[in-house]
């Protein structure tokens, strides 16, 4: 094979690889929207999913817009500061349900940043959102099952052996809907995230547990 033919072959291979890389890059970009805004010395950085479902996109953007508005109201007329707002997310899925958890970190010159979480669960077949209320459906037995499983499993972990932390865990895992509002659907089970300070001190970070779906069934 002469050099000219080799060059042509190498060029075609390179062009093919480049087109494949470009395709996947474009596909990756369509899955995320990244917005970074800087004014004075404040920063807002938002990463959120862009899906094929209009209803889901509207819900996500509405919540994010509200958080941006709250942040800008606090920082308005503050002069030059180092305040910031950062939002990122993780995604899960189970059957026809898409689940997202969003992590919000904001800083206003306090002792440490403020961390918040919120979840969105969307059944694209039924075209509806799912919350913990839909799972419990006024059945206290199911809520008790979730609470018992959560406490029994988390209380065995070493970090919860401290008496003060164990008391926080007891209170934060009681069978109340508000304690289990951050839910996600995954192939492994129902994931529940807890707010900071709910079951442990702030520095423990975000804590979660995965509950097998059979726990969500009532025996009556």
């Amino acid at each position: 094979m002469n050099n000219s033919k080799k060059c042509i072959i190498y060029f075609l291979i390179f062009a093919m690889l480049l087109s494949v890389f470009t395709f996947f890059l474009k596909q990756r970009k369509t899955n995320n929207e990244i917005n970074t805004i800087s004014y004075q010395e404040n920063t807002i950085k938002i990463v959120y999913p862009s899906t094929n479902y209009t209803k889901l996109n509207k819900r996500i953007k509405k919540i994010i817009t509200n958080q941006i508005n709250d942040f800008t109201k606090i920082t308005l007329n503050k002069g030059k500061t180092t305040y910031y707002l950062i939002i990122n997310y993780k995604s899960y899925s189970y059957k026809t349900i898409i689940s997202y958890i969003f992590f919000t970190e904001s800083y206003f010159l306090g002792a440490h940043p403020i961390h918040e979480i919120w979840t969105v669960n969307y059944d694209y077949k039924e075209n509806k959102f799912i919350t913990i209320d839909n799972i419990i459906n006024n059945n206290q037995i199911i809520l008790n099952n979730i609470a018992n499983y959560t406490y029994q499993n988390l209380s065995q972990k070493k970090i919860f052996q401290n008496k003060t932390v164990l008391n926080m865990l007891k209170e934060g895992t009681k069978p109340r809907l508000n304690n289990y509002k951050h839910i996600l659907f995954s192939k492994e089970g129902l994931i529940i995230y807890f707010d900071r300070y709910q079951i442990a001190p702030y520095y423990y970070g975000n804590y979660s547990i995965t509950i097998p779906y059979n726990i969500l069934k009532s025996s009556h």
Side-chain angles (χ1 to χ4, degrees):
M1 185 180 294
N2 58 41
N3 290 334
S4 61
K5 287 184 177 180
K6 285 183 179 180
C7 289
I8 293 174
I9 292 174
Y10 289 151
F11 175 78
L12 291 175
I13 293 174
F14 174 77
M16 183 179 66
L17 291 174
L18 181 62
S19 64
V20 171
F21 174 77
T22 303
F23 170 78
F24 280 109
L25 183 62
K26 288 181 178 179
Q27 287 297 100
R28 185 171 64 86
K29 284 187 176 180
T30 57
N31 290 331
N32 290 293
E33 296 289 342
I34 302 175
N35 293 329
T36 302
I37 307 168
S38 295
Y39 61 100
Q40 296 175 344
E41 293 183 12
N42 299 321
T43 300
I44 300 176
K45 185 173 183 179
I46 314 293
V47 181
Y48 62 94
S50 178
T51 75
N52 296 323
Y53 308 103
T54 302
K55 187 174 182 179
L56 176 58
N57 290 338
K58 285 183 177 179
R59 170 68 67 88
I60 292 171
K61 289 183 179 180
K62 180 180 180 180
I63 298 174
I64 287 177
T65 299
N66 288 339
Q67 291 189 316
I68 292 175
N69 289 340
D70 290 342
F71 177 81
T72 54
K73 286 178 182 177
I74 293 174
T75 58
L76 188 65
N77 299 323
K78 293 291 185 180
K80 289 188 176 182
T81 67
T82 55
Y83 297 162
Y84 65 77
L85 171 66
I86 299 173
I87 300 177
N88 214 323
Y89 76 96
K90 286 183 180 179
S91 61
Y92 300 87
S93 64
Y94 176 68
K95 294 184 177 180
T96 60
I97 303 174
I98 306 171
S99 293
Y100 294 107
I101 180 168
F102 294 84
F103 302 92
T104 300
E105 179 179 326
S106 54
Y107 182 63
F108 304 103
L109 301 181
H112 52 67
I114 300 171
H115 292 89
E116 297 176 305
I117 54 175
W118 46 282
T119 57
V120 176
N121 301 283
Y122 177 71
D123 188 328
Y124 56 81
K125 184 177 181 180
E126 300 293 332
N127 189 29
K128 67 178 184 180
F129 295 101
I130 303 174
T131 67
I132 187 63
D133 300 81
N134 303 119
I135 295 174
I136 303 304
N137 195 24
N138 296 319
N139 190 328
Q140 187 64 34
I141 294 175
I142 297 176
L143 183 57
N144 289 340
N145 290 346
I146 293 174
N148 290 335
Y149 182 90
T150 301
Y151 178 76
Q152 289 174 9
N153 281 266
L154 292 183
S155 62
Q156 300 303 313
K157 296 184 179 296
K158 185 177 180 180
I159 63 171
F160 292 104
Q161 298 308 305
N162 176 279
K163 184 177 180 180
T164 300
V165 180
L166 185 61
N167 287 334
M168 292 181 69
L169 179 65
K170 287 179 180 178
E171 185 65 27
T173 58
K174 285 183 177 179
R176 301 168 182 158
L177 282 176
N178 194 55
N179 282 340
Y180 300 95
K181 60 186 177 182
H182 302 306
I183 63 169
L184 299 158
F185 291 85
S186 74
K187 295 177 178 61
E188 292 73 27
L190 185 74
I191 301 174
I192 296 177
Y193 267 83
F194 300 96
D195 290 313
R196 297 199 183 202
Y197 295 115
Q198 181 179 339
I199 63 172
Y202 169 87
Y203 55 83
Y204 276 50
N206 292 115
Y207 222 90
S208 66
I209 187 170
T210 301
I211 300 179
Y213 287 115
N214 65 297
I215 300 295
L216 308 180
K217 298 177 181 179
S218 172
S219 58
H220 294 78

